[in-house]
Amino acid sequence: MSERVVVTGMGAVTPLGLDFPGTWRQLVTGKTAAAPVTLFDVAGCRCQQAATCALPDLPDIPAKELARLSRASRLALAAARETLKDARLLDSQGKSSLPHLPLSVSTTGGGMALGEQFLRSMLAEHRGPGQFYHASRYQAQHQTHDLQRILGFRGPVTIIANACASGANAIGHGADLIRSGACHGVLAGGYEALTELIYVGFDCLQAMSPDCCRPFDVARNGLMLGEAAAFVVLESASHAQARGAQILCELAGYGHATDLHHLTQPHPSGATAVAVMRQAIAQAGVNLTDIGYVNAHGTGTPLNDASEGTAFATTFGDGVTVPPRLRISSTKAAIGHTLGAAGSVEALFAIAALRSGQLPPNLNVRHPEAAVAANLVAVGERPSEMPATLTVNLGFGGSNAALVFKKYASHPSAAAHADSPRPPLPLAICGMGAVLPSNTSSRMKGLNEDTGEHVVHCVDRTREPLATLQNEARVRRASPLTLYMLAAAQQALAAAPEAPRDRLGIVACFNTGALVATRRFFEGVIKSGQRFASPNLFPETVFNSPTSHVAAVLGISGPCYSLVGDDAAWVNAIHVAASWLTNGLVDHALVIGAVELDPIVIDAFVRTGWLPPHGRTGYVPSEGAGALLLRRAEPHNQLQIAQLADGFSYRNRHDASESARECLAQFPGDVVRCLTARHNWFRHIEQQLPGAKGVTLPYHGDAFVASAAWNTVAAADLARREGRRVLQPVWGLTGECSALLLAAE
Amino acid sequence: MAEISVDELRSLVVENCVLKIKPEDIGEATPLFGPGSVGLDSLDALQLTVAIEQQYGIVINDANVAREAMQSLGALRRWLAQQPGPGAKS
């Protein structure tokens, strides 16, 4: 039996309120936040409404700093602070009283509004100010840095971008980390700030209702977008009890898997939704009849609600209808579909339903879908006593997830494993793959004339196996990095063809994701107008689309995560794989890091100073992918990842140096150290660190997580050849550093 | 509106739907959707709706009309020829 996970604090900013209690009061009385969009111009869109948040004031943050915070950061900060306060983990200075607090976060857009402004300014003849800021601050890791810096804590950060299921994944992953023994407490949740790119994308898919979002109504005609941020503090029961924390409930079950049917459509049977609900219920150890309320995904689109209704009928009923005692509601007609935050904010609703004796209603239904006709919650409905609630989220790319919350009852075994978690390491490396750029460099121009032309290393997609993979029907619209991921994954899997696909998971990591599709989509919007946005391109801009394509082509229906971050996201991805393998979720995990080049990258690198406009620094942007096939180590496994370590995130050279020292100090001294820093602060730092004499690995240009993956493949080869332990530092360019130890035993 | 050639529509479909086949490989009567077809899906149908509006100014608001019009290149050519011209709605 592994450690029980409990919720000890929660907080949210939603379109219905600036905190969770305010939101809940409005929600249960049947209020909706639907309103015309004023955040950006939507004159060219088919739809005009959404549910947006009032921006939290954050009066204790200096005005200058507040002005620099993205909308996404402001939403996330207010919700995270409320959560820490609710958990009695906020000191009188407004800082976290836990200096080390791992963060498991989800988003789909990050600070995309800044990215949109950067693209606009690069396409404009007369560029506006703020280009460095826009280019350097839109990525999701900058919002998590803001959380850590302003709320005063450090620790490993996992950013999950699994589209609409991400928020449930972030909370479920937080629980996985605790169950695997990696930590005793996590701040977990999601945030999403509405942006033009996302709004226009859903508009061009004609997925939004032009009039009214009606989840589970037979006449439903689309979703309403929203924005929100919501967090929970998760702790091991023993940790919570030891510090005398209030325990709101137990996070008892988590299920997640991938629907391979189509990139944007669920399988009509809802089979994957059924599978994830059953996984979560089984892990929670509850009976079906224990669950009294389900917070449904219920987007209000014709396909989602039909498939989901069938899934509820299969899971809880006779396959046709659901027993009336189970109460179900989608809360998306009230607060909108908040994408990367949806799974988190809806988890809070499921927790509040469990605790408060009130239920959030399913609004705007006149003629309900037959499968759930007896189950939809009406305004003012009071539930009977319920031991457990469930929330389910079904996302783009087939990302499905479910969480089960149950009332907490103190149990003598709560502390049984507090001091003896199973070690998540070592992991055996069963297979490796790498897609490298061509040996001959080429030149790439930015979008803006002033950017000029710069040396890059590009992957030659006319060579095999990429040339053949491009003919796969599933990937015809995909951004190039999907091909790199596929080819690297196939190489890694070739070493263990017997690995069963249903017991295999994928953890992919990206810096900017499918940048070619994203840039092309929004460039089309800017040049041709919102009305002519491309429905074929928009789904490919979503972070987890490449991962979903890889899963579909390789027939992998197990869990899939798409992580975002800087180079250190590669080590995070291995951490995730370790937790899955330790918890027995999968037998094998495919870890993939991938990057693709696009002209907008050249513009961004020039504006951020990494590529000087008229000079050479030796920094060469590059692209490609690397992959590892991992499993839990057994005595006969020769090649292993023996140890992982993370330094704290940094914002300046001094902290970077301290972080690097702290990270490397966690490893033994008698190892071969790889020198991997090239053209950043760490080049000098690395040479000044103790044991500086090391082995320089082959250089294929700078491709962030892909470079980290290539270096792991090279370091593992070195360990195998030399029969020694090899230390690979991973120096993140935007604020994280980590390292891993490879061993050939 | 004026007659549009099948070759022009072939290019429109291949380019917009990012097909990895030569335009000339799509026959005039080859189904665009469903079994034995070119292999387009619902996203392609939306994409072609946008492309037709952008290229020819003909707005398709009705999914049933779109389904009928986009059965094949020949069907699309005939349907476009029957439309009154830019700005009309179907």
Side-chain angles (χ1 to χ4, degrees), chain A residues 642-646 662-671 727-728 738-741:
Chain A
Q643 192 180 338
L644 299 169
D646 309 294
E662 183 182 297
C663 178
L664 293 193
Q666 298 174 51
F667 294 92
D670 59 334
V671 298
L727 177 60
Q728 178 207 348
S738 300
L740 58 160
L741 186 65

Side-chain angles (χ1 to χ4, degrees), chain A residues 563-630:
Chain A
L563 307 186
V564 187
D566 69 5
D567 311 37
W570 171 248
V571 178
N572 260 325
I574 297 171
H575 275 300
V576 170
S579 76
W580 288 0
L581 292 163
T582 306
N583 294 336
L585 181 67
V586 294
D587 294 333
H588 289 84
L590 198 50
V591 181
I592 312 171
V595 165
E596 66 184 15
L597 280 177
D598 184 80
I600 192 68
V601 170
I602 308 304
D603 292 300
F605 286 167
V606 168
R607 295 321 182 278
T608 50
W610 295 355
L611 283 176
H614 306 292
R616 292 170 63 92
T617 57
Y619 180 85
V620 183
S622 173
E623 63 175 356
L628 299 178
L629 183 67
L630 302 175

Side-chain angles (χ1 to χ4, degrees), chain A residues 186 264 286 293 342 428 574 587 628 683:
Chain A
V186 180
T264 60
V286 296
Y293 168 72
I574 297 171
D587 294 333
L628 299 178
R683 189 179 184 188

Side-chain angles (χ1 to χ4, degrees), chain A residues 685-710:
Chain A
I685 293 168
E686 197 170 52
Q687 286 161 1
Q688 290 160 8
L689 290 170
K693 199 174 170 210
V695 176
T696 301
L697 297 177
Y699 180 62
H700 306 286
D702 289 86
F704 304 96
V705 285
S707 293
W710 301 332

Side-chain angles (χ1 to χ4, degrees), chain A residues 141-416:
Chain A
Q141 62 265 33
H142 295 287
Q143 288 99 61
T144 58
H145 283 178
D146 289 336
L147 287 177
Q148 289 185 321
R149 189 180 74 258
I150 293 170
L151 297 177
F153 63 93
R154 291 169 169 175
V157 179
T158 310
I159 305 171
I160 302 177
N162 264 22
C164 317
S166 310
N169 292 129
I171 292 177
H173 179 63
D176 277 349
L177 288 174
I178 293 169
R179 289 198 181 97
S180 70
C183 60
H184 291 302
V186 180
L187 179 62
Y191 65 90
E192 196 72 57
L194 193 62
T195 74
E196 183 183 353
L197 187 152
I198 292 173
Y199 193 88
V200 174
F202 276 89
D203 188 71
C204 80
L205 290 182
Q206 300 186 27
M208 292 198 288
S209 170
D211 51 7
C212 176
C213 174
R214 300 181 188 88
F216 296 112
D217 190 289
V218 293
R220 65 190 177 275
N221 60 0
L223 58 83
M224 170 174 71
L225 282 178
E227 59 178 359
F231 289 87
V232 290
V233 168
L234 301 175
E235 294 178 67
S236 63
S238 56
H239 188 265
Q241 281 173 354
R243 74 175 185 94
Q246 60 158 359
I247 293 179
L248 302 178
C249 65
E250 181 176 350
L251 169 46
Y254 172 39
H256 55 127
T258 310
D259 179 350
L260 303 180
H261 179 63
H262 186 269
L263 187 61
T264 60
Q265 296 173 6
H267 193 285
S269 73
T272 308
V274 171
V276 300
M277 286 192 277
R278 286 180 175 160
Q279 269 181 46
I281 290 165
Q283 187 183 33
V286 296
N287 297 315
L288 285 178
T289 52
D290 290 336
I291 293 170
Y293 168 72
V294 174
N295 187 291
H297 192 58
T299 54
T301 61
L303 293 178
N304 177 85
D305 294 9
S307 165
E308 192 177 0
T310 304
F312 290 143
T314 306
T315 307
F316 295 99
D318 56 5
V320 181
T321 58
V322 182
R325 58 147 203 90
L326 180 66
R327 311 312 297 156
I328 298 174
S329 66
S330 159
T331 38
K332 289 189 171 70
I335 64 158
H337 188 348
T338 62
L339 305 175
S344 298
V345 71
E346 290 161 14
L348 267 60
F349 295 156
I351 295 169
L354 182 67
R355 291 171 49 79
S356 71
Q358 291 178 297
L359 292 177
N362 193 106
L363 304 180
N364 304 336
V365 175
R366 287 171 300 195
H367 303 290
E369 271 284 324
V372 293
N375 311 90
L376 298 180
V377 177
V379 178
E381 193 176 313
R382 293 270 171 177
S384 47
E385 180 68 12
M386 58 175 82
T389 57
L390 181 145
T391 178
V392 64
N393 291 98
L394 315 169
F396 256 39
S399 293
N400 286 197
L403 298 169
V404 170
F405 298 95
K406 70 178 184 188
K407 287 185 173 163
Y408 179 72
S410 183
H411 193 282
S413 67

